[in-house]
Structures are given as structure tokens and as C-alpha cells.
Amino acid sequence: MAEKPTPDATRRSARSRRAIFDAALALVGEVGYPRTTIEGIAARAGVGKQTIYRWWPSKADVLLEAFMDLGEQAARAAGQEPYEIPDTGDLAADLRLVLRATVDELINPAFEVPARALAAEGVVNDQIGAEFVAKLLEPQLQLYVKRLRSAQDRGDVRADVDPRIALELFVSPLAQRWLQRTGPISYDYTDTLVDYALHGIAPR
Amino acid sequence: MAEKPTPDATRRSARSRRAIFDAALALVGEVGYPRTTIEGIAARAGVGKQTIYRWWPSKADVLLEAFMDLGEQAARAAGQEPYEIPDTGDLAADLRLVLRATVDELINPAFEVPARALAAEGVVNDQIGAEFVAKLLEPQLQLYVKRLRSAQDRGDVRADVDPRIALELFVSPLAQRWLQRTGPISYDYTDTLVDYALHGIAPR
């Protein structure tokens, strides 16, 4: 049976955990995924590598959890609940709000540099790509699925629309502009995507 | 003044050019962009490295032209003019056709493996990303802009729609599924994107 940690040990753990996440994100942003090692993260965080191995089986797992933690911090900083998209009954307004917050996150260097390193590795590495999608990206996309289903229940989205595809009309353009730098990212841009996706580009 | 090449020299040049492109694409797919070198491409193509430097100033330029050549070959194999999107007057049908051809290209290993290597480099390397977009991606996206403008002239697309953003509603979802493996790619999928983009996901 595990001993109950003392309050001091819990505080020390939380501090180490944050130091390890910070070190992992900084390192992957500087040297890229392939050259990031558990040893390098441990040295930078000022902990022994056994401390890292006790909590995470691999560098991929440290990094994925570091990103999840970063996303939660960003959501709280934006005054939002992580893992929720607001449901005020006004679908366009709710989508605009969440996409504007995503714009802020994507252009924040603390997120952008390490996220690019991990995303680039996912493009060429099946296994990391699949883990990145399953643990980080898809859970975020499912928040849109939930919000669009609620809109379908209210009659604000066509009943024959597949929400998992529909969300891509506004999420993927922003993702591609960010990943491939195919164009500037702004609130105006994401507001426009929401308008086109909801109402279509053909005349009504 | 340049001497006019003999027919034999022209044939030899075309053969070397194709061998260099094949070697460049194969190599970048195997070892990634950072470890691809002009020397490596020359050795694999069976030409001297001076032959490559005579035509292209850098490995980035060889690779970009190799991809442009591959795209032209794929378009011809699909019975299409490269650099044109059909304009039959039926916008939905024309977009479905081109996106289906893009699906075929994206899942063709001859394209997919080297394209992933170059795309991954573009995610973390500003300069390569910008060159990749300016020379390869944006010219393709401008074909959609042209087609959507023609549709606007006919009244098939709202006059207040920005075609450069509108095209992202069907192009970017396909690009993200391919780049980040967020979902399967099929004709049904791209047909659905065209429907949602034209008519919107909200009820009419």
C-alpha cells in the first residue's frame, strides 16, 4: 500500500512536475523532438532522471502531458473551463469566442515553439502522430462535436450534418494557416470562417 | 550566347533531370530534409554534384522543382491540365473532381513520403516553409481562387465572400487530415466538404 505523502512531499512533487514540464517544452522547442532526451529534460529541470521515469514511461508521455498542462493553463488564463465550449444558445458567438482564444494560444511563443516541434515530428512519425492526435487533438475536437450536437438538438445545425466533419470547416483552416504559414491568423479571419461554415459560400 | 544543344544532349539532360528529381524525392523521404544533401542526391542519381549545382543553387530548390514536376505528372496521369481547375459551370461538380484527384495524389506513396518530409521541415523551419508555400502550395490555391471568382461572376458564390478564405473550407480539412492523420481520407469525405462549404451547416 502506498504511504500517504506528507504536505511537504506533495508540494515538492508539484514543483518538480512543473519544472519537468517547463524543461521538456523548452528543450523540444530548441532541439526538436528526435534530439530531446529524458536525460536532457532531467538535467534542465534539475532532477534525477529516475524522478522522470517514476512518473512517465517515455519522453513522448512527458511531452504530451506537458502540452495538456499548458492547454489547461491557457484555458484558465482566458477565464474558460478547460474541456468545455460555452453553450449560450448562440452557436456563432460561442464558436467565435473559442476560436479567438485558440488564435491567442497559437501565437503565444510559450506554446508555439514546442507545439511546432511536436507537430513536425507527428507529420513524419506515425506513432507520435497517432498519440498526439489521440491524447491531445481529438479530445479538443470532441468538444466541438458536443457543441454542434447541442446545436443540432436546437435546430441550429442541419440534422443530416456530421458534426465531426463540420467542425473541420473552421478548425482546419486555422490549423493549416498555423502549421504551414499559408496566411495570417487573426480574430477577423476566424470570425469569417464561422460565418462561411454556418451559412455557406453559395447564395441562400 | 548559349550554343544550341544537340538533340542527344537534350535527351541526356532530360534523363539526368528526371534521375536527379527521383533521387532527391527518394532521399528526403528516407532520411528527412535536414540530412538530405546535394552530394547524396548526386550519388544516388549517378551524376556529378556539379551537374546539380549548374541547374539549382540549393537542395531546397532541387526538391521544390522535383515536387512541381511530380504534381504535373500526377495531373497528366489523371487526364487533367496542370494549373487548371475545370470550369464546366457546375461549381460543386468541378470542386468534387479536383478534390478527388487530390485524394489520389495524397495517398500515393511516391508523393506522400517525400511530401511529408518537406512539410514537416516547413512546420519548424520558417524559410523552407515560406518557400514551400510561395512556390508550391499558394500557386495551387490560386487555382481555386480563380475558379471561385468565376463562380462569383455567375452568381454561384456570394459576392461578399473572399475566395482566398472560402477555398480553405474544403482544402484545409483535407490537408489537416493528411498532415496530422486526424481522420480517414476518401472521396465521400471530400464530397461532403464541398456540400457543407457551399451550403453551410446551418439550416437554410
Side-chain angles (χ1 to χ4, degrees):
Chain A
M1 209 190 335
E3 233 177 301
K4 197 176 172 215
T6 63
D8 265 10
T10 304
R11 263 197 301 275
R12 267 202 309 278
S13 284
R15 238 182 0 245
S16 298
R17 209 175 120 93
R18 174 53 41 86
I20 291 164
F21 287 165
D22 288 348
L25 294 171
L27 196 60
V28 78
E30 283 168 24
V31 305
Y33 183 84
R35 290 165 60 206
T36 296
T37 60
I38 293 277
E39 286 74 7
I41 297 170
R44 191 167 186 136
V47 303
K49 69 179 179 174
Q50 285 317 317
T51 303
I52 299 184
Y53 280 121
R54 199 188 322 145
W55 289 331
W56 300 281
S58 73
K59 69 173 175 176
D61 296 290
V62 184
L63 280 166
L64 289 165
E65 216 175 307
F67 274 101
M68 285 162 65
D69 180 66
L70 198 62
E72 287 166 33
Q73 287 180 60
R76 290 214 184 82
Q80 295 170 3
E81 274 302 299
Y83 317 126
E84 277 302 332
I85 291 178
D87 192 348
T88 65
D90 180 342
L91 177 61
D94 292 348
L95 293 177
R96 281 196 296 262
L97 185 77
V98 175
L99 287 168
R100 285 174 172 221
T102 307
V103 167
D104 292 340
E105 189 179 3
L106 289 176
I107 61 178
N108 173 1
F111 173 87
E112 172 158 21
V113 177
R116 283 194 178 281
L118 197 61
E121 182 67 13
V123 169
V124 287
N125 180 333
D126 276 24
Q127 204 196 319
I128 294 300
E131 215 175 324
F132 177 81
V133 168
K135 295 197 179 154
L136 276 179
L137 204 46
E138 190 61 33
Q140 288 174 28
L141 300 182
Q142 287 299 320
L143 305 180
Y144 287 100
V145 170
K146 187 181 163 198
R147 183 64 188 82
L148 291 172
R149 287 225 174 93
S150 150
Q152 278 179 318
D153 291 342
R154 282 202 192 86
D156 296 335
V157 166
R158 284 194 271 152
D160 65 326
V161 156
D162 178 341
R164 181 59 188 78
I165 296 178
L167 68 90
E168 297 176 48
L169 268 67
F170 38 84
V171 166
S172 298
L174 179 58
Q176 188 180 24
R177 283 201 177 200
W178 182 78
L179 272 170
Q180 302 201 286
R181 307 172 224 254
T182 42
I185 286 174
S186 67
Y187 291 172
D188 261 2
Y189 168 66
T190 50
D191 287 358
T192 302
L193 292 173
V194 170
D195 171 48
Y196 292 1
L198 287 181
H199 306 298
I201 63 169
R204 294 228 148 192
Chain B
M1 206 182 348
E3 231 177 301
K4 198 179 171 211
T6 62
D8 266 9
T10 305
R11 264 198 300 276
R12 266 201 310 277
S13 283
R15 241 185 354 247
S16 297
R17 209 175 121 92
R18 173 54 41 88
I20 290 164
F21 287 165
D22 288 347
L25 294 171
L27 197 60
V28 79
E30 283 169 23
V31 305
Y33 183 86
R35 290 166 59 205
T36 297
T37 60
I38 294 277
E39 287 74 8
I41 297 170
R44 189 165 187 140
V47 302
K49 69 178 180 175
Q50 285 315 316
T51 304
I52 300 184
Y53 280 121
R54 198 188 323 145
W55 290 330
W56 299 279
S58 72
K59 69 173 177 177
D61 296 291
V62 185
L63 279 166
L64 288 164
E65 215 174 309
F67 273 101
M68 285 162 68
D69 180 67
L70 198 64
E72 287 165 32
Q73 287 180 59
R76 290 213 184 80
Q80 296 172 0
E81 274 303 300
Y83 317 126
E84 277 302 333
I85 290 177
D87 191 349
T88 64
D90 181 341
L91 177 62
D94 293 347
L95 294 177
R96 281 195 295 262
L97 186 77
V98 175
L99 287 169
R100 285 174 172 222
T102 307
V103 167
D104 292 340
E105 191 180 2
L106 290 176
I107 61 177
N108 173 1
F111 172 87
E112 172 158 22
V113 177
R116 282 192 179 281
L118 198 60
E121 183 66 14
V123 170
V124 285
N125 180 331
D126 275 24
Q127 204 195 319
I128 294 299
E131 213 175 326
F132 177 81
V133 168
K135 294 197 179 154
L136 277 178
L137 203 46
E138 190 60 34
Q140 288 174 28
L141 300 182
Q142 287 299 320
L143 306 179
Y144 287 100
V145 170
K146 188 180 163 198
R147 182 65 188 84
L148 291 172
R149 287 223 174 94
S150 151
Q152 278 178 319
D153 291 343
R154 283 203 192 85
D156 295 335
V157 166
R158 284 193 270 154
D160 64 326
V161 157
D162 179 341
R164 180 60 187 76
I165 297 178
L167 68 90
E168 296 176 49
L169 267 66
F170 37 84
V171 166
S172 299
L174 179 57
Q176 189 180 24
R177 283 201 178 199
W178 181 78
L179 273 170
Q180 301 202 288
R181 308 174 226 252
T182 41
I185 286 174
S186 68
Y187 291 172
D188 261 2
Y189 168 66
T190 50
D191 288 359
T192 301
L193 291 173
V194 171
D195 170 47
Y196 293 1
L198 288 181
H199 306 299
I201 63 169
R204 294 226 149 196

